[in-house]
Amino acid sequence: MIYRTLKRESMAVLVDRLKEGGLVAPVREDGVVVFRPIQGDREVASDYINPTNSVKDVFLPQTESLFRFNTAEKGLEIEATPPEGPKYVLGVRPCDAAALELLDHVFAEGQYTDSYYQRRRAEVTVIGVACDQVGESCFCTAFGLSPGHRRGADVMMYRLDDESYLVAFEGERGHRLAEEYPDLFGEAPAEETIEAVVTSYQSREVPAGRVELDGITEKLDGMFEHPLWAKLAARCLKCGICTYLCPTCHCFCLDDEALGYEGVRYRCWDSCMYPDYTLMAGGHNPRPEKANRTRQRFMHKLNYFVHNHGEFQCVGCGRCVDKCPVGLHMLAVIYDIKGVDSDGGQ
Amino acid sequence: MSVKESWEPKIIGFCCNWCSYAGADLAGTSRMNYPASIRVIRVPCSGRVNPQFIARAFQLGADGVLVAGCHPGDCHYSTGNYFTRRRMLLLTRFLEYLGVDPDRFEVRWISGSEGQKFADTVREFTERVRALGPSPKKRDAS
Amino acid sequence: MSGMNQVTDRLRERVRELLADGKIHTFIGYERAWDPYRPIPFFATEAGEAERLIIDELCVPSTPKYMLDFFGREGVVGLLVKGCDSLAVERLLRDHRVERESMYIIGVACTGLLDRDKVKARALEEGWGAVEEVRREGDAFVLVTAAGEKELGPEYLMERCRTCEVKVPTVYDELLGEEVAATAEPRDFAEVAEIEAMTPAERRAYWERQFSRCIRCFACRNVCPACNCRICVFEERVPRWLGRKTDVGEQEMFHFTRALHVAGRCVDCGECDRVCPVNIPLRKLNRKLMKDIGELFGIEKPFMPAETEPLGQFRPDDPDEFE
């Protein structure tokens, strides 16, 4: 862990340099802020709570080519397509950065790992920016995170004063960035200052995060058949907004696309909220009703993931709270789960 | 994407079996000359032409798309091309609205005896598309 | 003009009766939820739940499409329906996706809904806290918030409500509240004309930018009352009309196809535009087709469901600009 400072006016220089290696950062466009490759005349946005899409897009792209195939000449030829992409992602909030470590449980740990995901995790530097503003729908503190938390980030920027940032560099990728541009990063301030700044961010009030999650996993253990799921699911539109914007959702599908003799096999996002997500050849669908799927989503996040990996699969980023057109989001569901009797009463 | 020196316009032509395809046949048997730029796709009726065919054609590299059918009133299926007419009126405007150059999309009524009209249409359309250059609407086929 | 909240008590009373008498098994209305500025659809299944129902100018989401979830189920579903919702009901009826007898429709006259995003932004900025009531006073909206009463002018109307003359639902079993005059700004399709005025290159760049944000969540399709096929074209595997790859070309293909599939059947409810999480201006696509249909085929109100839809019919003397 090393600390440095970065002058506000040097930010533009840093962005220019990062662009050379490929940079993804939040961009304001047509009324939304979204993570985009910084090319052409795109400018990095600054005044936002959290981009609409998440940093997951960089590490688990919505469409990822796995290999190309060709049957023209010598039977079947297969050529792997290694992952491409930016080397840097800037403007990542602590919640999104922490989400990467949750995705790591699935794609980078244990017996089966995903080489495409791992390669990106190894090569992409995550540059976080601690939260000056806290959104109404933010609830990261419910999951042990905070507006200044560093989990998952290689670099974290805190506002030191009106003219400069305090920058924390962590791990191999973080240190590499500090060493690459020594002319941009100034000396660290005094230790007490560092501690004061970091503490002020990490203890910042997150009103919606006051929801208490103790015991919820155990309660859900007995709620598989609860009538709550049907009640919640009634208003679901069966779209993919929650799953696609969520930084920890990771369901995917494999598919082929070919024209003539050539084609590509790719992985693409899929959503457990879609009716045919679990549709099998032969026509059987184990989750035919909305209630089945709603139950699946929230059990996965609050119960199954806890049993499988030891922690909740949510970072309280609040995107589902903001964007679900019918208010079927994590906070609403958590409160509803807490409010019912686990044996089926109301 | 660089333009090859030898670029030739690639035109997809949807021709209805009973009139315009027959007209194309007639152009052939009468030894009329027309550019080899057109790839004809025979459909039973111009009313069978789904707007998605046209969009896909442009996406997959067509520099121009032609839809040819019977003259309104002469449809082999009585009313098919009346629906075509409404649909194509809408489609020409919609494609333009989305940024496709309207000169790349052509709708013609060509009867079975109008071999000359078919040849003339392909010739004129090819020259118009040649002047526009390769279509910018391309996506990776795979 | 009085606000819709005036009929709240009567609404609750009627729903309580309907549920208690067993005339309906479910009533779909609205309740104030975690975000009081964004009431959500609420499905009451017991008489006691009627108390949770509310109705005011923040109750925006369209609910008739939920009838498709009850397809094949016995019994009657109660619905609370505003003008725009009633057009959605008509659309579903004309497409034979719902039976009239399976609905009991309580209509309410609406003089226009609030733009929730605009209101929410103002409320957050000025620290209004929660809202518990919305009234109409003349042209203005009055919100009763934790920080006192706040007045909002007609500029807080939802865009789509400015030009809506369907103030009273066109279909209902009973109407709550008074009828209101069907006044509205003319539907001039200004936002369509703006794009028509661009150069081809500008248009191409504009739409590419919009579509490149699309995440293919299908929220627009799922909320649309005109998108009611049992098996959607995008769900068919054979033939595969749309790949799952998410490049700009496929996104464009999706929006192009959906716009054409609802052409002539769109009721201009604007829900597609509202639910899009990445602000793609979907109404500008549907309204372009609507405008052209109206002009080309001489249809005065191309958004109103009719006996036969414009692209399902023809006239021998239709315009013909093809040689």
Side-chain angles (χ1 to χ4, degrees):
Chain A
M1 170 74 60
I2 54 178
Y3 288 96
R4 294 278 185 274
T5 54
L6 174 72
K7 286 209 177 45
R8 266 204 114 102
E9 64 213 26
S10 304
M11 186 60 135
V13 181
L14 177 65
V15 168
D16 272 337
R17 301 221 189 137
L18 296 176
K19 269 162 83 166
E20 285 164 36
L23 171 66
V24 164
V27 170
R28 191 173 291 279
E29 191 178 282
D30 298 308
V32 279
V33 176
V34 281
F35 277 111
R36 296 282 238 174
I38 304 300
Q39 306 160 333
D41 56 359
R42 284 200 183 123
E43 280 184 25
V44 178
S46 52
D47 185 24
Y48 60 90
I49 304 233
N50 220 347
T52 300
N53 59 346
S54 76
V55 78
K56 163 179 91 172
D57 291 28
V58 171
F59 295 92
L60 207 60
Q62 188 161 13
T63 300
E64 167 122 59
S65 164
L66 300 176
F67 57 81
R68 307 189 78 84
F69 50 85
N70 191 313
T71 57
E73 278 161 48
K74 297 179 251 164
L76 176 66
E77 269 179 33
I78 293 183
E79 185 200 322
T81 48
E84 287 168 357
K87 284 282 187 282
Y88 304 98
V89 54
L90 171 68
V92 179
R93 296 300 187 195
C95 48
D96 274 19
L100 291 175
E101 294 206 349
L102 293 178
L103 287 175
D104 286 345
H105 287 320
V106 178
F107 292 100
E109 290 167 15
Q111 194 182 356
Y112 303 106
T113 57
D114 185 301
S115 59
Y116 295 85
Y117 175 86
Q118 279 190 307
R119 170 102 169 246
R120 289 179 209 265
R121 283 294 269 141
E123 295 188 0
V124 179
T125 305
V126 176
I127 304 170
V129 179
C131 312
D132 284 319
Q133 293 172 61
V134 168
E136 194 201 44
S137 35
C138 293
F139 56 109
C140 59
T141 48
F143 299 100
L145 302 170
S146 75
H149 208 88
R150 283 208 279 271
R151 187 183 181 192
D154 301 307
V155 179
M156 183 60 72
M157 294 192 182
Y158 305 87
R159 206 161 60 92
L160 182 56
D161 53 48
D162 284 337
E163 277 119 50
S164 54
Y165 297 99
L166 171 68
V167 189
F169 298 89
E170 197 154 6
E172 199 191 305
R173 289 180 293 274
H175 289 194
R176 203 188 314 144
L177 185 66
E179 283 150 31
E180 214 165 322
Y181 305 122
D183 58 319
L184 284 184
F185 299 111
E187 245 184 65
E191 267 220 38
E192 308 87 65
T193 314
I194 293 176
E195 212 189 291
V197 169
V198 172
T199 306
S200 84
Y201 275 92
Q202 295 190 341
S203 58
R204 190 152 290 177
E205 177 84 61
V206 179
R210 285 192 220 119
V211 62
E212 196 42 74
L213 294 174
D214 263 354
I216 203 169
T217 303
E218 293 71 26
K219 186 171 184 182
L220 283 170
D221 278 336
M223 282 181 68
F224 194 79
E225 303 291 353
H226 202 281
L228 174 67
W229 305 118
K231 214 58 184 162
L232 284 168
R235 62 187 189 263
C236 178
L237 291 179
K238 312 177 225 176
C239 69
I241 289 180
C242 54
T243 50
Y244 286 178
L245 297 185
C246 174
T248 63
C249 274
H250 52 266
C251 283
F252 60 85
C253 189
L254 291 175
D255 218 331
D256 288 346
E257 200 166 286
L259 204 66
Y261 294 113
E262 292 178 4
V264 65
R265 173 160 300 172
Y266 58 90
R267 169 179 51 203
C268 58
W269 290 354
D270 206 344
S271 175
C272 60
M273 303 310 266
Y274 291 157
D276 58 357
Y277 177 69
T278 44
L279 180 65
M280 303 177 191
H284 177 61
N285 189 344
R287 296 188 200 135
E289 303 294 323
K290 278 199 294 190
N292 309 137
R293 300 190 290 270
T294 303
R295 170 181 63 193
Q296 156 61 24
R297 179 150 203 275
F298 291 100
M299 287 290 270
H300 189 188
K301 295 213 167 267
L302 300 170
N303 181 286
Y304 305 152
F305 204 82
V306 178
H307 287 307
N308 291 340
H309 302 291
E311 48 183 336
F312 292 112
Q313 193 201 343
C314 176
V315 293
C317 73
R319 287 179 175 92
C320 59
V321 179
D322 276 336
K323 295 293 187 177
C324 173
V326 294
L328 179 60
H329 52 70
M330 186 56 89
L331 278 173
V333 173
I334 288 175
Y335 280 115
D336 275 355
I337 292 169
K338 286 159 71 81
V340 298
D341 288 336
S342 50
D343 62 358
Q346 283 298 105
Chain B
M1 187 196 68
S2 59
V3 181
K4 293 199 293 248
E5 283 302 326
S6 54
W7 169 74
E8 281 294 318
K10 196 180 285 187
I11 295 174
I12 306 293
F14 295 96
C15 297
C16 79
N17 180 66
W18 304 99
C19 283
S20 43
Y21 191 82
D25 250 353
L26 184 61
T29 53
S30 310
R31 303 282 182 261
M32 293 179 198
N33 259 315
Y34 61 86
S37 57
I38 188 160
R39 280 78 165 155
V40 174
I41 297 177
R42 183 174 61 131
V43 290
C45 174
S46 57
R48 198 268 175 270
V49 176
N50 189 328
Q52 283 176 263
F53 297 171
I54 298 162
R56 272 291 186 222
F58 278 121
Q59 279 192 342
L60 294 174
D63 302 301
V65 175
L66 166 73
V67 174
C70 307
H71 288 260
D74 295 341
C75 179
H76 181 82
Y77 303 99
S78 313
T79 54
N81 60 1
Y82 285 131
F83 293 103
T84 314
R85 183 164 61 180
R86 282 212 167 188
R87 204 179 299 149
M88 293 298 131
L89 282 168
L90 222 52
L91 199 59
T92 50
R93 288 157 174 75
F94 198 48
L95 284 170
E96 189 178 4
Y97 190 69
L98 290 175
V100 177
D101 196 318
D103 282 338
R104 294 189 185 276
F105 180 58
E106 179 81 51
V107 179
R108 279 281 162 96
W109 312 124
I110 301 174
S111 82
S113 60
E114 289 180 311
Q116 187 64 56
K117 185 172 182 187
F118 182 82
D120 289 343
T121 299
V122 178
R123 199 177 308 117
E124 282 158 23
F125 192 33
T126 302
E127 288 325 300
R128 212 165 74 214
V129 170
R130 191 191 301 280
L132 293 171
S135 168
K137 283 186 97 58
K138 284 196 179 16
R139 70 184 288 258
D140 291 335
S142 56
Chain C
M1 276 184 274
S2 48
M4 290 194 281
N5 72 325
Q6 306 261 311
V7 305
T8 308
D9 287 338
R10 179 71 185 135
L11 170 68
R12 291 175 182 166
E13 193 189 321
R14 282 300 293 132
V15 173
R16 211 176 301 129
E17 283 165 9
L18 289 163
L19 283 168
D21 296 341
K23 289 224 171 61
I24 60 177
H25 58 71
T26 305
F27 187 83
I28 309 176
Y30 302 97
E31 68 168 342
R32 216 172 289 289
W34 186 86
D35 182 348
Y37 289 90
R38 291 194 248 242
I40 58 175
F42 173 59
F43 294 68
T45 49
E46 287 159 38
E49 290 179 323
E51 281 311 297
R52 288 161 68 174
L53 288 167
I54 61 161
I55 177 65
D56 62 35
E57 283 71 20
L58 286 171
C59 294
V60 169
S62 176
T63 54
K65 192 149 182 214
Y66 289 117
M67 288 307 300
L68 294 187
D69 293 335
F70 293 97
F71 188 73
R73 186 172 153 185
E74 294 275 317
V76 180
V77 176
L79 279 170
L80 176 62
V81 144
K82 316 182 289 289
C84 43
D85 301 326
S86 67
L87 295 188
V89 171
E90 278 201 63
R91 176 85 272 131
L92 291 167
L93 285 170
R94 287 189 197 277
D95 290 347
H96 303 289
R97 292 295 277 124
V98 70
E99 305 270 344
R100 181 65 181 90
E101 308 81 59
S102 66
M103 296 186 282
Y104 186 84
I105 301 174
I106 297 183
V108 58
C110 166
T111 53
L113 300 166
L114 280 164
D115 183 328
R116 309 200 307 186
D117 290 339
K118 248 176 158 164
V119 174
K120 191 76 205 281
R122 176 103 182 257
L124 283 174
E125 203 184 297
E126 298 183 9
W128 291 358
V131 61
E132 58 180 54
E133 195 189 304
V134 179
R135 294 196 311 266
R136 276 285 239 170
E137 272 165 26
D139 243 359
F141 302 87
V142 175
L143 273 61
V144 178
T145 74
E149 290 205 352
K150 303 289 175 186
E151 192 174 298
L152 295 171
E155 68 272 17
Y156 282 84
L157 257 182
M158 273 195 90
E159 192 59 45
R160 75 192 201 210
C161 298
R162 276 179 221 289
T163 53
C164 170
E165 65 263 56
V166 188
K167 304 284 200 259
V168 179
T170 56
V171 54
Y172 53 82
D173 290 297
E174 62 180 89
L175 184 72
L176 297 182
E178 51 210 46
E179 301 236 353
V180 285
T183 51
E185 290 175 30
R187 251 171 240 253
D188 59 4
F189 298 100
E191 77 285 358
V192 170
E194 204 181 295
I195 296 181
E196 286 171 340
M198 294 181 188
T199 66
E202 283 172 346
R203 264 179 253 135
R204 199 159 48 236
Y206 177 81
W207 287 114
E208 231 178 74
R209 192 175 79 236
Q210 307 302 324
F211 293 144
S212 65
R213 285 200 303 279
C214 177
I215 55 174
R216 213 85 81 70
C217 64
F218 294 120
C220 51
R221 175 197 67 173
N222 289 6
V223 82
C224 171
C227 278
N228 55 42
C229 291
R230 290 187 207 209
I231 300 179
C232 173
V233 65
F234 301 119
E235 282 160 16
E236 277 185 52
R237 297 301 163 97
V238 180
R240 174 68 79 75
W241 289 102
L242 193 76
R244 300 180 127 211
K245 283 173 81 189
T246 47
D247 54 51
V248 178
E250 283 303 74
Q251 315 304 46
E252 188 168 50
M253 194 65 181
F254 167 72
H255 291 288
F256 173 87
T257 303
R258 199 184 87 79
L260 283 166
H261 279 204
V262 303
R265 300 167 51 245
C266 167
V267 297
D268 210 12
C269 71
E271 283 288 88
C272 52
D273 202 294
R274 183 184 69 85
V275 301
C276 177
V278 291
N279 278 23
I280 297 173
L282 295 167
R283 283 187 86 213
K284 293 186 186 178
L285 284 172
N286 300 314
R287 302 193 86 223
K288 163 64 176 171
L289 290 164
M290 191 183 299
K291 167 177 177 271
D292 286 346
I293 285 172
E295 284 171 9
L296 285 167
F297 312 126
I299 299 171
E300 201 200 316
K301 297 190 181 180
F303 56 91
M304 289 295 273
E307 208 40 66
T308 323
E309 304 314 333
L311 290 177
Q313 60 180 288
F314 63 86
R315 288 204 315 260
D317 60 349
D318 271 336
D320 192 337
E321 53 196 36
F322 311 118
E323 287 160 24

